Amino acid sequence: MTAVHPPTYLTELEFFEGKRRCRKNAVPSSPSSSTTSASFEWKVIAAPTTEHNASSPIRSSIPPPSSSPATSSRSTPSSCPSSPPKKRKSLQPPEPEAVLVDPEPAAREPKRQRTASSSKGKTKRRKGPGWSKPFVPPAPSSRPRSLAPSIYRNSRSRSTSAFPSSDSETPIFKRQWRTDESGDPGSNHLSSEDVVKKLMKSYKAYFRNHDNPDDTSFEPENLPLVELEYPNAHAVERFLLLAPKDKDHYNPVYDLESTLCTMIEFYCTKEQQARFGPNPNDWRSEGLSPPPSRSPSPSPSTSSSRNPLFRPRTTRSTLPIIRAFKRAIHRHDGPAFMEAMADVNMLLRELKYPYLEDIMSPQLGNGLMAAPTAWTETGLPKGVLMRLIEENYQRTVGPNVRKLKRYEAFSSTVYGELMPNLVYEILKITNLNENSLFLDLGSGVGNVVVQASLQTGCRSFGIELMPEPARVAEDVVEQMRIRARMWGLRMGEVELEKGDMLKSKRVDELMPQADVVLVDNKVFEESLNEALKPKFLDLKEGAIVVSLAPFVSSLNARVTERNVDDITAIFDVTEREYSSGSVSWGNSGGSYYIHRVDRTGYAKIREQFENARAQMRPLRRRA
């Protein structure tokens, strides 16, 4: 047997040259032969790519057995034609070829290391289509991977769904809304007449006498006045019948109309409303007047005709009272409006002071005050609440708007207001009631604290640093108390302070008792927001902080070493959107944030975090 040669590595050129010499010298095998010599076997090896000397001997090949299928797609050396091989069209890696090797090959020579000099001048082979880089497992990291699950702020014991949507029903807290005090406004009352008199130069005549063009009784210099009865006893307000030159300014005629419509809608029974005429909300005086009624006005009752306060209607029209009232406004008919107002006040006085034919008969109460008594079960109607807020704002804040806009731009003292509809939503979803305490840090003109006390009956406290808003806030609170009595309503206590919220001792006293804290921090500097955070640690469990900018860095941040001990970690935060027109500083919508104190939930998160950190300690020691 021929001595065994050590294996050698062939280049592609040597490999195919060897195949051609093999074809020339090959001897056809016998057809009956089905096996080859036992000392050789066929093995498949990959085409070598290692550099080799071209003069080295090439090992001979033996043709494959004749039993190989002739239909095979791959050709063996003995079945290949004698023509030279075609040039490959692609640069794909060569297919494995069959090469004859010894059954027991000797140990291979060690691979020579590739050097820069050996690879110089050689062209780098391109990877053909279908080639993919072999998977190489990543090197193990020197830092141990965390096996504990991530923990986030919202993984709380309480659900953030505790805050209902603004459209959903909230529980109604039973409360006595009717006041037993007299409705007499007193000498400190700031009426519509007082507001217009201060700004007479900006008003013009609204009504005129169509029958007498020379009549000047409705000109501003003659001060055309009219009175309006309010629901409570002895509650009356005077209005100047003038129109603002700027349509955006306070309009006393429209104010009077809105107040009368609200009283008829919410304070009168169905029978009482019928005496005024159709529902005043069916149409507005700003549009076209409705067609005249063909039915005569309802005749007064027998008791009304004997009432000394009752005066028969002198209106030239046969329209119902409310319709004649609105038509006079639409036509700017001064005499007709005065007559309609006389009929309106006459009927309101009749309802407020019912006449007794027999002095021995039981005393009848104010017919308009039965409505606030019934609101104990249903709550204060939103329409009444918004009318009071609008009346009070027009008389107290409106005339001082120019002064309130004098502030330092881009500072924490920029004046801005939350509109009543947004405040209504906030007070509704936080479930304030007459046993609650509401704090407004940076209360401005006090419009939010008075609305909170009127809407829910709660006790309110507000603090303001700037002198002008603080001064106006005093008037807002005083006039709202008077106006609530005129409407026959009770409101909660309101306390104001002029000072710095960070230095106020009263704020420190009330913070542990507070149920809801409002901070309009939309333009607060970051330093001021950070200084407020320690005060929230005194809040009781379940207390709520409402803000226009969040006091947490992220609503659902992952709990880490850096924030696990943060002051605001006690909060469970919910973001809510407000619609366009909800704030005074822009027409677009935005978000406000409700922070509920949840120390129980924080304790559970803290426990989870400590357990996860304890699991990581052994891994860190091994690393």
Side-chain angles (χ1 to χ4, degrees), residues 336-352:
F337 182 80
M338 299 299 288
E339 292 175 359
M341 280 302 303
D343 294 332
V344 167
N345 285 321
M346 175 272 299
L347 184 51
L348 289 174
R349 283 192 292 266
E350 181 184 340
L351 298 175
K352 290 169 61 175

Side-chain angles (χ1 to χ4, degrees), residues 231-439:
N232 204 357
H234 312 296
V236 181
E237 186 170 7
R238 289 156 60 103
F239 293 80
L240 274 173
L241 302 180
L242 299 175
K245 296 178 181 178
D246 187 342
K247 63 179 182 179
D248 294 329
H249 289 179
Y250 170 60
N251 189 329
V253 178
Y254 177 77
D255 185 34
L256 186 153
E257 178 190 10
S258 299
T259 297
L260 177 60
C261 292
T262 302
M263 287 193 294
I264 296 174
E265 180 181 359
F266 295 101
Y267 279 79
C268 294
T269 62
K270 296 296 183 181
E271 295 76 11
Q272 293 169 347
Q273 290 177 0
R275 299 182 64 181
F276 284 95
N279 188 340
N281 288 331
D282 289 344
W283 48 275
R284 292 294 178 184
S285 61
E286 295 180 46
L288 295 177
S289 297
S293 174
R294 295 181 181 179
S295 60
S297 59
S299 58
S301 61
T302 304
S303 61
S304 300
S305 61
R306 299 179 182 179
N307 189 340
L309 297 176
F310 175 78
R311 179 176 59 84
R313 290 188 63 186
T314 59
T315 308
R316 293 168 292 181
S317 173
T318 58
L319 294 176
I321 296 176
I322 193 64
R323 196 164 275 188
F325 169 83
K326 289 179 173 288
R327 172 168 286 191
I329 294 177
H330 178 66
R331 295 183 175 181
H332 299 263
D333 190 340
F337 182 80
M338 299 299 288
E339 292 175 359
M341 280 302 303
D343 294 332
V344 167
N345 285 321
M346 175 272 299
L347 184 51
L348 289 174
R349 283 192 292 266
E350 181 184 340
L351 298 175
K352 290 169 61 175
Y353 315 107
Y355 177 70
L356 297 177
E357 296 183 2
D358 186 0
I359 60 174
M360 301 302 293
S361 299
Q363 182 69 33
L364 297 178
N366 185 339
L368 297 179
M369 291 298 291
T373 304
W375 294 339
T376 301
E377 301 293 333
T378 60
L380 180 66
K382 185 178 180 180
V384 176
L385 171 69
M386 294 302 172
R387 180 89 288 266
L388 266 76
I389 293 173
E390 182 68 13
E391 283 186 344
N392 197 52
Y393 186 90
Q394 290 170 343
R395 291 157 177 76
T396 55
V397 182
N400 298 284
V401 170
R402 291 185 179 179
K403 297 179 181 179
L404 294 172
K405 291 184 177 179
R406 298 172 184 172
Y407 51 77
E408 182 182 352
F410 308 106
S411 67
S412 299
T413 59
V414 172
Y415 174 70
E417 297 176 6
L418 305 184
M419 296 294 102
N421 280 329
L422 177 57
V423 177
Y424 181 86
E425 177 184 324
I426 293 173
L427 299 176
K428 184 178 178 181
I429 64 176
T430 52
N431 294 330
L432 279 173
N433 56 72
E434 62 180 348
N435 299 319
S436 305
L437 174 60
F438 174 77
L439 302 186

Side-chain angles (χ1 to χ4, degrees), residues 494-512:
V494 179
E495 180 184 351
L496 296 177
E497 179 183 350
K498 178 186 175 302
D500 189 343
M501 67 182 80
L502 299 177
K503 301 177 181 178
S504 172
K505 295 182 179 180
R506 186 60 175 159
V507 171
D508 296 337
E509 293 174 3
L510 296 177
M511 190 67 74

